[in-house]
């Protein structure tokens, strides 16, 4: 098992999460790719997007059917500017690479916003630490295991 997946699985166990990490047949670097392999609506994919908020990492768990509105997020978190993080910034903040960033298992806590649209689904799927691993969870469980804040972060794209 990849070390990132082991870290995420350990946190899930420690937090009493219900779901277990599964490996997909193919990498799933996008919400659409993950949804197709899982057989769920794209909106039930909890995309883990890392942003640079005035130099601090910010993890936004958004519905795969959403595009994050960075101006709205900046206002929510009190940042002057929120921009997509570079791959290096993401890896430094999370220990994971873009396309497989899990909501947990990072070297240090990362402020997290959880898209309220994910609450529309009984089950949502989040990345497990690398691009072809995911785990089932719920909106409420995501809030609990990440210590995240519920937020309206974007606009619907699908």
């Amino acid at each position: 098992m990849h070390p990132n997946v082991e870290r995420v699985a350990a946190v899930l166990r420690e937090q009493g999460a219900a779901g277990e990490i599964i490996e997909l047949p193919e990498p799933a670097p996008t919400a659409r790719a993950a949804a197709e392999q899982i057989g769920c609506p794209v909106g039930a994919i909890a995309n883990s997007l890392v942003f640079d908020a005035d130099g601090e990492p910010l993890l936004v768990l958004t519905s795969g059917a959403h595009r994050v509105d960075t101006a709205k997020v900046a206002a929510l978190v009190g940042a002057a500017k929120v921009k997509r993080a570079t791959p290096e910034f993401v890896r430094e903040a999370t220990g994971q690479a873009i396309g497989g960033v899990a909501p947990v298992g990072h070297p240090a806590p990362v402020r997290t916003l959880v898209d309220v649209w994910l609450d529309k689904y009984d089950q949502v799927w989040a990345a497990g630490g690398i691009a072809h691993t995911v785990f089932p969870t719920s909106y409420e469980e995501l809030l609990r295991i990440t210590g995240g804040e519920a937020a309206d972060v974007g606009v619907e794209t699908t």
Side-chain angles (χ1 to χ4, degrees):
M1 187 181 295
H2 191 282
N4 287 353
V5 177
E6 288 178 1
R7 275 191 296 280
V8 173
V11 172
L12 294 176
R13 282 190 303 274
E14 289 166 10
Q15 294 290 329
E20 292 190 19
I21 296 173
I22 62 168
E23 189 170 330
L24 298 172
E26 302 290 327
T30 66
R32 186 158 310 285
E36 287 172 1
Q37 291 186 63
I38 295 166
C40 71
V42 71
I45 300 297
N47 275 340
S48 297
L49 304 176
V50 178
F51 291 88
D52 177 334
D54 294 340
E56 293 297 318
L58 175 67
L59 176 60
V60 178
L61 300 174
T62 189
S63 167
H66 268 175
R67 181 177 42 81
V68 173
D69 180 332
T70 55
K72 184 186 282 188
V73 169
L76 286 169
V77 300
K81 185 170 186 176
V82 170
K83 63 183 181 180
R84 287 297 284 261
T86 65
E88 296 79 20
F89 188 94
V90 172
R91 188 176 291 280
E92 185 177 316
T94 68
Q96 303 163 7
I98 291 173
V101 174
V104 296
H106 314 137
V110 176
R111 184 173 184 185
T112 303
L113 300 180
V114 182
D115 189 352
V116 295
W117 279 62
L118 290 169
D119 195 26
K120 295 181 178 199
Y121 302 94
D122 292 333
Q123 185 175 64
V124 296
W125 293 84
I130 58 175
H132 59 281
T133 57
V134 294
F135 66 94
T137 187
S138 67
Y139 175 74
E140 291 299 326
E141 187 173 76
L142 270 179
L143 286 169
R144 181 178 61 78
I145 67 175
T146 64
E149 306 163 47
D152 181 4
V153 298
V155 293
E156 193 169 3
T157 60
T158 59

